[in-house]
Amino acid sequence: MGSAALGGAAPARAGLAPKNGVLGSTFKPCGGFMLKTTPKVGRSSVCVRASIASSPQKQYSAKTPAVKSGEEVRIAVLGASGYTGAEIVRLLANHPQFRITVMTADRKAGEQFGSVFPHLITQDLPNLVAIKDADFSDVDAVFCCLPHGTTQEIIKGLPQQLKIVDLSADFRLRDINEYAEWYGHAHRAPELQEEAVYGLTEVLRDEIRNARLVANPGCYPTSIQLPLVPLIKAKLIKLSNIIIDAKSGVTGAGRGAKEANLYTEIAEGIHAYGIKGHRHVPEVEQGLSEAAQSKVTISFTPNLICMKRGMQSTMFVEMAPGVTVSDLYQHLKSTYEGEEFVKLLNDSNVPHTRHVVGSNYCFMNVFEDRIPGRAIIISVIDNLVKGASGQAVQNLNLMMGLPENMGLQYQPLFP
């Protein structure tokens, strides 16, 4: 979750204002802030590692050729003081072509990133700035890690040529009326929602490749849809009586200070929440319904468990007539056989969260239920990587025409 808090609306204005004592920075209104952009200049500047240097803006559109091998892509991380922002920075430390040039965090503006996240103090990064002071003239692509409900107006005000991966829920639901119902306010950028592509990489790869704006999936929906979408498309499971019990590490609740997340509140226990109305429900049902080409309703219970990161979704499904557990297994095997980050485990091996920590992997397996005709599917991910920042990097790689696994070949950390 990002740290920026939006203020009240400011009067719209645009014009030239001094930048470092020189006229030439254009300010454009954005959700009550004035975002600063600099007109293109006719020469390239010297590249300075992780500094905000003035250089010509590259034009990346859906029709733009892929980024060449070795060509630098300049990155802005909005909401960099949250967990997903920090994970973006950690992952990009080993990315050969993505370089961070802008980092925002309103409440931490002016601070060095290493003082906010000391485990990343070795990285050469720009200081954090408030989003109203961010200069996007030296940016090609954006990871937006801001809180839900704040992203729509911010993205609406960004330069049109930027490629954007939004890690919030603001563009995940295609139906803006359904968004208003679940998130409690009208969608503030319906015209952008029309162009947003849902970013479940292994399922919607071709659409993502040609997108300008990608809505990165939520963590629960990622762990649930990866196994269920292929099975529903193949009509191997029934659409009724899908029951999902999911458990997440505490980082899934974000970095903000909340009483419910204090150590004494969560230690030595497991806590069900959002039992009747978790906001990931419509996102999951949207994906499953599209796979089925008819309405799918699920029974979903999320649980907070006392661990830092990791997610397990256990899905109870009823198989179609004549279908066996072996059929489910073989279909998932053929679906994901060539995929680097989705792995179907062998035989009766049970997926465990500890075996994916720090990685972009999703491990899954299928088991026979004691009740005839039913199966149990278990999938595990790191909620901060495959469930958020890792999938975001995977998506931006695709959008830029780069190898999908670039910067993501971290092996799980165990023990």
Side-chain angles (χ1 to χ4, degrees), residues 213-324:
L213 169 60
V214 165
N216 213 61
C219 45
Y220 287 124
T222 296
S223 66
I224 294 165
Q225 291 180 92
L226 284 174
L228 291 190
V229 164
L231 299 179
I232 287 175
K233 282 185 176 180
K235 304 185 187 309
L236 294 175
I237 60 175
K238 293 184 178 180
L239 304 182
S240 57
N241 299 320
I242 297 175
I243 302 168
I244 303 163
D245 176 77
K247 299 173 178 66
S248 174
V250 183
T251 51
R255 203 184 187 201
K258 307 179 188 76
E259 181 179 308
N261 295 343
L262 294 173
Y263 177 79
T264 50
E265 303 291 332
I266 62 170
E268 301 178 27
I270 182 169
H271 305 266
Y273 68 102
I275 295 171
K276 197 175 177 180
H278 193 281
R279 288 171 170 176
H280 282 176
V281 167
E283 184 182 342
V284 173
E285 292 182 343
Q286 172 181 265
L288 300 187
S289 297
E290 288 179 0
Q293 297 185 327
S294 65
K295 177 63 178 173
V296 176
T297 302
I298 62 170
S299 178
F300 173 65
T301 304
N303 301 270
L304 194 66
I305 193 165
C306 189
M307 60 183 184
K308 291 182 290 186
R309 58 164 83 201
M311 175 167 288
Q312 175 179 307
S313 290
T314 304
M315 293 148 274
F316 305 88
V317 299
E318 188 173 351
M319 292 176 285
V323 173
T324 67

Side-chain angles (χ1 to χ4, degrees), residues 176-188 279:
I176 60 174
N177 295 319
E178 189 170 36
Y179 175 88
E181 177 185 345
W182 283 89
Y183 286 88
H185 63 86
H187 201 290
R188 300 185 179 106
R279 288 171 170 176

Side-chain angles (χ1 to χ4, degrees), residues 2-217:
S3 63
L6 294 179
R13 61 186 176 88
L16 295 179
K19 178 191 178 189
N20 298 329
V22 180
L23 287 176
S25 294
T26 302
F27 289 76
K28 62 185 294 185
C30 172
F33 292 128
M34 307 306 292
L35 293 183
K36 180 167 59 177
T37 61
T38 304
K40 294 187 291 182
V41 295
R43 60 180 179 83
S44 297
S45 67
V46 176
C47 291
V48 180
R49 172 69 178 169
S51 67
I52 304 177
S54 177
S55 56
Q57 187 73 281
K58 299 176 189 174
Q59 302 292 321
Y60 288 114
S61 70
K63 304 298 183 183
T64 301
V67 175
K68 296 176 183 176
S69 177
E71 183 180 356
E72 182 180 89
V73 178
R74 300 161 299 179
I75 301 294
V77 182
L78 310 186
S81 62
Y83 289 136
T84 57
E87 277 296 278
I88 291 286
V89 175
R90 182 181 74 87
L91 295 171
L92 295 194
N94 282 342
H95 198 293
Q97 292 187 229
F98 288 176
R99 178 175 67 90
I100 298 173
T101 57
V102 174
M103 306 177 77
T104 77
D106 281 18
R107 290 196 294 267
K108 303 289 186 180
E111 295 186 32
Q112 294 181 347
F113 188 75
S115 68
V116 179
F117 288 106
H119 70 296
L120 294 168
I121 199 169
T122 60
Q123 299 304 298
D124 186 12
L125 297 163
N127 286 348
L128 297 165
V129 298
I131 196 162
K132 67 181 177 62
D133 298 322
D135 184 352
F136 293 94
S137 64
D138 193 35
V139 172
D140 302 311
V142 174
F143 290 110
C144 196
C145 307
L146 295 165
H148 307 311
T150 66
T151 300
Q152 291 158 3
E153 290 183 309
I154 294 295
I155 291 180
K156 187 163 59 174
L158 293 177
Q160 290 295 306
Q161 70 270 18
L162 298 180
K163 294 278 193 176
I164 302 165
V165 180
D166 177 30
L167 282 76
S168 81
D170 281 15
F171 293 97
R172 292 175 188 161
L173 299 183
R174 295 187 180 92
D175 185 338
I176 60 174
N177 295 319
E178 189 170 36
Y179 175 88
E181 177 185 345
W182 283 89
Y183 286 88
H185 63 86
H187 201 290
R188 300 185 179 106
E191 67 286 352
L192 284 180
Q193 185 61 63
E194 292 181 8
E195 73 164 293
V197 170
Y198 188 66
L200 190 62
T201 319
E202 285 78 11
V203 174
L204 295 165
R205 183 171 278 120
D206 291 339
E207 292 88 340
I208 294 164
R209 186 176 285 114
N210 294 318
R212 185 186 76 89
L213 169 60
V214 165
N216 213 61

